[in-house]
Amino acid sequence: MQARTTGWLMAACLAAASPAWAQGVQATEHALGAGDACAKDLEAMPAFLMENDAGARELLPQRGEQSMAAALLKARSEAAQIADDKACLALLNNYLKLWRKGHLWVSSSPGAEALAAATPGAAPASAATTTAPPAPEPASGARQPTLRLLTPRTLVIHLPSFSPQHRAALETLLRKQRAALLSRPNWIIDVRDNDGGADSSYAPLLPWLLAEQPVSVGVEWLSTPANQRAHEQICARYAPGDAACVLFAQSVLAALRAVPSGAWARVQADRFVYERGVVPEKRRPQKVAVLMDRDCGSSCEQFLLTVRQGLGVKLLGRPSFGALDYSNMRPFTLPSGRRDLWYATSRSLRLPQLPVDAFGVLPDILLPELQGPGDAAAELQAVQRWLEGGSLQRLPGTGGGKP
């Protein structure tokens, strides 16, 4: 796994068991009401972020220290009035959006439901388990990659998620559909609703898209005691038995331990990496249109940055979400023991020349916004016509829902 990758970004966003030390915290905090517990978690976040989050120290001056101080005061007053843990999640996440719109949030800790049920005056357990934003869905048919043959010349591959559990499904799809892939010169890759995941999940597709040696830009990691502990725990908690995760985490830990606390570490010394790991397919599609939108974030955005290096690849649609400059999310259990703060431990070496978070990844061809339920299908059909020599204009009456 390359150090540039968002790695175990969304794998780390799956529901997690609280660290052993958090159990003691829960035991001492169980008597707190929802408002007191929420206020306690809120107070812990700013200092933790400033010390451990990869983007906080850079973003605070941009946001304005006075504005952020005022926002904290406002959140404090609201936290005191919180009636349940569901409302607290909403409050804390609204506050965190002032720091950064993506790759920073709070979710319920596992065990929070039982903790809330044991708290006097707590909301029903069903409300206490709500997270904002929601954790990624488990593997299911709705999020699996699919392939459709549109015409004898064109096919579409729909990739709704780059969650690690979908990599095997993509490998199987490409293997079973190899004859169709070889016979269609025009491909549409639809990532308009992709929820991100891990860069390794889309790796099986790269030999079909990249003929030349791709260039990537590395990341650097913020070394702090908390971040080192988070990397030590990540594989056992979220990818038990995964050798690739262990190797990746060990390489990061070695780099973090080699520098003082508060310093930045690199797994790979060079800022630019000229990769040789992709062995191109001998027969690749002649034209590839990648359909994108604002739902494409995180590893989906890294996919866009990677595949646009293909000589026959064009990005079409709307700018992506903008959550990639600060990544490799790790959890920190907040003082109440009821919630985890998810924060970024790395920043991209694309900065400051090529930021993504401010505007997203920009398409090569900007397409109109989708207005109605049939626009997504109409847009797909327009791209098909364009690849086959026609117009990109959507035709009326060609809707039919999301592909």
Side-chain angles (χ1 to χ4, degrees):
M1 182 177 295
Q2 298 291 340
R4 68 164 172 84
T5 64
T6 48
W8 301 96
L9 174 69
M10 293 303 290
C13 296
L14 300 176
S18 297
W21 61 265
Q23 296 177 6
V25 175
Q26 291 180 2
T28 60
E29 298 291 342
H30 76 278
L32 285 177
D36 291 337
C38 191
K40 201 174 188 70
D41 288 351
L42 173 67
E43 291 299 329
M45 292 197 302
F48 182 87
L49 291 174
M50 288 296 290
E51 181 178 355
N52 300 285
D53 182 77
R57 282 182 281 181
E58 294 180 5
L59 295 175
L60 181 61
Q62 298 177 25
R63 301 295 184 260
E65 293 190 24
Q66 291 185 347
S67 295
M68 293 300 292
L72 180 59
L73 286 174
K74 180 176 182 292
R76 281 173 179 162
S77 65
E78 293 173 350
Q81 308 301 318
I82 286 298
D84 55 50
D85 286 346
K86 179 180 178 181
C88 181
L89 280 174
L91 184 150
L92 296 180
N93 279 295
N94 286 335
Y95 169 70
L96 288 175
K97 287 177 184 177
L98 301 175
W99 287 82
R100 186 168 63 242
K101 68 175 180 178
H103 283 182
L104 185 62
W105 64 82
V106 174
S107 66
S108 293
S109 297
E113 181 176 353
L115 181 64
T119 302
S126 58
T129 59
T130 302
T131 61
E137 301 172 9
S140 67
R143 307 305 293 172
Q144 296 277 6
T146 59
L147 183 149
R148 281 197 292 139
L149 306 179
L150 301 178
T151 72
R153 297 171 58 192
T154 306
L155 59 80
V156 57
I157 299 174
H158 186 207
L159 301 173
S161 175
F162 287 136
S163 189
Q165 61 262 42
H166 295 308
R167 173 176 175 138
L170 179 58
E171 291 175 331
T172 300
L173 180 69
L174 297 176
R175 184 177 65 254
K176 289 185 175 181
Q177 295 288 347
R178 184 173 181 82
L181 296 171
L182 291 170
S183 65
R184 265 72 176 180
N186 303 327
W187 289 17
I188 302 172
I189 299 178
D190 188 352
V191 293
R192 286 177 292 181
D193 58 349
N194 190 291
D195 59 7
D199 298 2
S200 58
S201 295
Y202 58 72
L205 195 57
L206 297 184
W208 293 93
L209 305 178
L210 301 176
E212 57 281 350
Q213 187 182 54
V215 182
S216 63
V217 182
V219 301
E220 55 187 359
W221 306 76
L222 181 59
S223 180
T224 68
N227 290 355
Q228 290 186 29
R229 286 193 299 269
H231 289 296
E232 288 170 352
Q233 299 165 359
I234 194 68
C235 294
R237 293 173 65 183
Y238 306 114
D242 191 312
C245 178
V246 172
L247 182 63
F248 178 69
Q250 287 177 342
S251 66
V252 174
L253 270 171
L256 295 180
R257 291 166 176 163
V259 301
S261 180
W264 294 92
R266 297 187 186 183
V267 174
Q268 294 171 317
D270 294 334
R271 182 185 182 195
F272 294 93
V273 181
Y274 299 86
E275 301 180 81
R276 298 183 181 274
V278 175
V279 179
E281 290 282 345
K282 292 183 179 180
R283 289 175 57 190
R284 294 177 298 278
Q286 297 173 13
K287 302 176 185 178
V288 178
V290 179
L291 264 175
M292 56 184 282
D293 64 6
R294 289 182 176 84
D295 291 331
C296 175
S298 187
S299 286
C300 183
E301 291 174 301
Q302 186 59 54
F303 174 76
L304 298 176
L305 293 178
T306 300
V307 301
R308 74 178 183 183
Q309 298 180 55
L311 294 178
V313 177
K314 287 286 186 181
L315 307 182
L316 295 87
R318 292 148 294 282
S320 63
F321 179 75
L324 191 62
D325 294 341
Y326 307 99
S327 58
N328 285 287
M329 308 295 290
R330 299 294 180 262
F332 169 72
T333 301
L334 291 166
S336 72
R338 303 177 185 184
R339 287 168 283 271
D340 288 333
L341 169 65
W342 294 87
Y343 68 103
T345 60
S346 69
R347 69 181 178 189
S348 175
L349 293 171
R350 288 180 285 96
L351 301 175
Q353 290 92 342
L354 187 62
V356 167
D357 289 8
F359 303 105
V361 178
L362 303 182
D364 298 310
I365 301 176
L366 180 67
L367 298 181
E369 297 287 343
L370 304 183
Q371 301 296 334
D375 282 359
E379 183 173 70
L380 179 67
Q381 293 178 12
V383 173
Q384 173 194 326
R385 287 194 307 274
W386 177 69
L387 288 172
E388 296 178 356
S391 171
L392 263 176
Q393 184 175 7
R394 294 181 208 157
L395 301 180
T398 57
K402 211 163 195 176

